[in-house]
Amino acid sequence: MRWTATAQHENGNRPGTNGAFSRRALLRAGGGAGALSLLTCLSGTGTASAAPATALSAGELAVGGSTTSYPLAQHPSTAATGAVPAPRGAATRSLHAGAALSVVSVEVDGGQMVGVTFPRGTTAEAIAVRTRTGGTWSPWCELPMNDNEADPGTAEARTRVTGSDPLWVGSLGSRATVEVRLPAADVAHAELHVVDAGLSPADELAATSSPADGVRLRSTGAQDEQVLLGAVAQPGIRSRAAWGADETLRKSSASYASTIKAAVVHHTADPGSYTQAQVPAVIRGMYRYHTVTLGWADLGYNFVVDRFGGIWEGRAGGITRPVVGAHAGGFNTDTFGVSMMGDYSNTTPSAACLESVAQVIAWKLSLHGVDPKGSAHLTSAGGGTARYKAGTSVTLRTINAHRDVGYTACPGNAGFAKMDSIRTRVAQITGSGGAVSEVAAKYAAVGAGVLGAPTSVEGPAKSGGRYRHYEVGSIYFLPATGAHVVKGLIRDRWKSMGWEGSFLGFPVTDEIALPGGAFNHFQGGSIYFSPRTGARAVRGLIRDKWASLGWETGFLGYPTTDEQPLRGGAFTHFQGGSIYFSPASGTHVVRGAIRDAWARQGWETGRLGYPTSDEYDVAGGKRSDFQGGSITWTPARGAVVTHR
């Protein structure tokens, strides 16, 4: 039997004033309303002129931008001696003698970022690159093979190309030379990619604004997400438009998980020579390298944090939503990635960078009710960089370093040494040592796939309760009732009645699906919904009577009106009849031809008054008794009224 709310009659069928309405009209109206690494060993500045600083919109894209591919087999090469790194996953990246190496020299014209791809794969763990501009050679810089990837089996993974991490070199200018040192066996099929990040008004705006200004750099669209939505305040987050994202490079719409369970912290392995003005261009270069060169659907990370403390929106799909990235192969689902722009192998991240990392993690976890000092149960999707094979269930911390889930040194030894500090700071920001509210815990349990993204902060409700609104529903909590989900047209109806301030009070169940409908129980009644009848409130002794007859599966079906007050009673119409209540007559069902005849007599205001019995069998027909008489129905005579 369906669970029934307690104390249901406390605010139940009380006599009220009969307003001006037509029950005939109510009857007629009964149907429906219803780690990518940026390894920079160079000191190039490469700044470019930009448009005047203005607020940016999604339509103000980067000007220009290109990716040029150079097959290494078509360029001069010489044999070289050298070394290759130890296998991925080694405790350090000490070098050892390896296979025969070649150095390939490529003349290029322009660009700011380079990387090397291997369409047929490679056994190398890293390559090395240096550049010459104006007759001066840079030092050799080691580029590891990219250790981020999309989860196996996804369309994004099927288009992935094996490639090195990219290298931000600043402005190469014209007639520059790039040399690549790599295994000689790979020269025949390897390709050098040179990325020109283009120009954007974002470059000058980044140079003249502070990291905290990000909250005011809003993307356009149906939903303005740059507002305070978390249980903690949203930090300043610069939108994709603010770094000049060319949205035509994205290969597909965003993919979403059902919720967020954990965060993964990365570094981009860039020594940090970029200026504040260059940050948007560096991100545009990463974006182009990820999409055009590596074949990913979008930028791999959900958020990027620069060394000045700026927080930038990464992968598209909504900063409040559980967007699946390509930041931690095998564990992209139910996680989000935050990458620090810098090489933190030996250099400690700046205080501004660490604070912004903590701020964005605290805010994002608070959206999904995740305890920053808790644990997360995840299942590995496997893949070449994943530390756990596909199908392995793993218990991790809710804030992890990339190396916790993948074979990588990311986020560098110095960055990894700050992980506990990040966790502690996130817990401080969220308050109560990382404890989450009952509302947040409920959201974490049901997932964003059910309710969508938050659209309000968590706020106080009546009687010491709490609530929060989401895209397609709400969660309301009261200590006496617990936290429950109300959504869709049921929520709309409850809202129209005054939320928890109405006679219904707080929900005592989540929305529960039925064949052809759904319902929520509340402290003072229930709301039932079907597409044909809309969402209707029933309560008190009328609801009890309907329950005794089988709820919506009985002959009465779904309610077609809310409970309506009358002088001395109340009623609710249903698909198969009506239930009327008064203290003197009790609660009874009237239906069919007998109800029609009673209606012609003036309902309860006529001589018959309220019903005093349900319909019962008599010889050859049916009868209902009323305060002032009875109505008997037979096939031969129809409905016959008898007055006392």
Side-chain angles (χ1 to χ4, degrees):
M1 180 175 179
R2 183 174 296 118
W3 182 90
T4 303
T6 59
Q8 59 196 12
H9 192 51
E10 181 179 349
N11 296 306
N13 304 87
R14 295 177 180 173
T17 301
N18 185 9
F21 60 88
S22 165
R23 272 162 279 170
R24 289 284 184 188
L26 287 172
L27 288 173
R28 289 194 296 270
L36 175 62
S37 296
L38 274 172
L39 185 57
T40 304
C41 297
L42 309 176
S43 58
T45 56
T47 57
S49 60
T54 59
L56 298 177
S57 70
E60 292 177 289
L61 305 177
V63 178
S66 64
T67 300
T68 305
S69 175
Y70 299 88
L72 294 188
Q74 299 177 12
H75 296 270
S77 65
T78 58
T81 58
V84 294
R88 180 184 286 117
T92 66
R93 281 167 47 174
S94 59
L95 304 182
H96 65 88
L101 301 177
S102 292
V103 173
V104 181
S105 182
V106 182
E107 292 188 2
V108 303
D109 190 8
Q112 303 93 27
M113 181 175 282
V114 299
V116 180
T117 62
F118 301 85
R120 300 178 192 172
T122 180
T123 59
E125 293 296 329
I127 61 166
V129 170
R130 68 173 182 168
T131 64
R132 181 176 62 186
T133 58
T136 302
W137 283 102
S138 72
W140 283 100
C141 292
E142 179 190 323
L143 275 66
M145 291 299 107
N146 186 273
D147 54 15
N148 303 320
E149 62 180 357
D151 287 339
T154 63
E156 189 172 10
R158 288 192 291 271
T159 61
R160 181 182 184 273
V161 174
T162 301
S164 71
D165 285 341
L167 172 66
W168 177 257
V169 295
S171 178
L172 286 171
S174 61
R175 302 185 65 182
T177 303
V178 179
E179 285 192 344
V180 181
R181 188 171 66 201
L182 73 166
D186 291 334
V187 172
H189 63 273
E191 298 178 355
L192 170 69
H193 290 255
V194 179
V195 175
D196 181 347
L199 306 177
S200 172
D203 303 326
E204 184 171 338
L205 187 58
T208 59
S209 62
S210 70
D213 290 336
V215 74
R216 293 193 292 274
L217 302 180
R218 300 179 177 182
S219 59
T220 59
Q223 181 184 2
D224 182 3
E225 296 176 309
Q226 311 296 324
V227 293
L228 302 181
L229 294 178
V232 299
Q234 178 192 310
I237 301 174
R238 290 180 163 117
S239 69
R240 289 171 63 87
W243 53 262
D246 180 352
E247 301 297 358
T248 65
L249 296 181
R250 284 195 285 127
K251 293 179 171 59
S252 64
S253 58
S255 296
Y256 297 97
S258 61
T259 191
I260 290 294
K261 296 180 180 179
V264 181
V265 178
H266 306 258
H267 74 157
T268 63
D270 182 341
S273 61
Y274 58 85
T275 67
Q276 188 168 341
Q278 288 177 311
V279 171
V282 175
I283 300 175
R284 290 198 302 274
M286 286 195 292
Y287 173 50
R288 180 172 280 275
Y289 190 79
H290 283 190
T291 55
V292 176
T293 299
L294 297 184
W296 296 356
D298 196 352
L299 186 67
Y301 306 114
N302 299 100
F303 299 96
V304 179
V305 178
D306 64 49
R307 65 189 180 97
F308 309 100
I311 306 172
W312 304 82
E313 177 185 10
R315 179 160 289 214
I319 60 173
T320 64
R321 305 186 68 186
V323 178
V324 177
H327 59 96
F331 292 92
N332 290 306
T333 300
D334 296 340
T335 71
F336 67 101
V338 180
S339 190
M340 301 180 289
M341 291 176 62
D343 181 359
Y344 300 116
S345 299
N346 300 302
T347 302
T348 300
S350 70
C353 178
L354 290 171
E355 176 64 16
S356 290
V357 168
Q359 290 283 348
V360 72
I361 290 176
W363 172 71
K364 184 73 171 182
L365 292 183
S366 77
L367 294 180
H368 297 274
V370 179
D371 182 349
K373 287 193 170 182
S375 59
H377 302 286
L378 300 170
T379 301
S380 175
T385 65
R387 189 173 288 276
Y388 303 93
K389 66 180 181 180
T392 304
S393 295
V394 183
T395 300
L396 301 167
R397 295 183 178 187
T398 53
I399 303 176
N400 303 277
H402 187 191
R403 64 174 65 177
D404 293 328
V405 298
Y407 288 113
T408 174
C410 182
N413 288 338
F416 183 73
K418 289 296 182 180
M419 288 303 302
D420 281 340
S421 297
I422 291 172
R423 294 182 185 103
T424 298
R425 179 60 182 139
V426 172
Q428 290 173 343
I429 295 167
T430 57
S432 302
V436 298
S437 70
E438 292 83 354
V439 171
K442 182 67 173 182
Y443 183 58
V446 301
V450 173
L451 289 171
T455 58
S456 79
V457 298
E458 184 177 321
K462 292 182 179 296
S463 305
R466 306 286 296 178
Y467 78 93
R468 195 171 192 187
H469 297 315
Y470 304 85
E471 289 177 310
V472 295
S474 300
I475 297 175
Y476 272 73
F477 165 79
L478 189 69
T481 61
H484 297 290
V485 174
V486 189
K487 59 182 181 175
L489 293 178
I490 291 179
R491 182 182 70 164
D492 292 347
R493 185 69 190 114
W494 185 44
K495 173 184 176 182
S496 72
M497 299 172 70
W499 301 103
E500 79 282 5
S502 69
F503 67 79
L504 287 173
F506 283 81
V508 296
T509 70
D510 294 343
E511 179 177 302
I512 298 174
L514 298 169
F519 74 93
N520 274 83
H521 286 322
F522 296 82
Q523 289 174 300
S526 303
I527 297 179
Y528 274 72
F529 164 80
S530 79
R532 295 186 62 184
T533 60
R536 310 294 181 181
V538 288
R539 60 171 174 160
L541 295 178
I542 289 180
R543 186 182 70 165
D544 291 348
K545 181 69 171 181
W546 181 47
S548 72
L549 297 170
W551 303 93
E552 79 289 344
T553 64
F555 63 80
L556 285 174
Y558 281 90
T560 59
T561 69
D562 297 332
E563 180 181 299
Q564 300 293 329
L566 300 169
R567 291 185 183 276
F571 76 93
T572 300
H573 287 323
F574 296 83
Q575 289 174 303
S578 301
I579 299 178
Y580 274 71
F581 160 83
S582 78
S585 62
T587 309
H588 299 289
V589 176
V590 191
R591 59 177 178 149
I594 291 178
R595 185 180 67 170
D596 292 343
W598 182 48
R600 291 192 295 270
Q601 295 285 313
W603 304 93
E604 80 289 344
T605 63
R607 292 177 59 189
L608 289 174
Y610 281 92
T612 57
S613 75
D614 294 344
E615 183 179 277
Y616 58 92
D617 293 333
V618 295
K622 301 285 186 179
R623 177 178 296 162
S624 287
D625 295 328
F626 296 84
Q627 291 172 312
S630 64
I631 300 177
T632 303
W633 176 88
T634 62
R637 302 182 62 190
V640 177
V641 177
T642 303
H643 296 291
R644 287 193 180 95

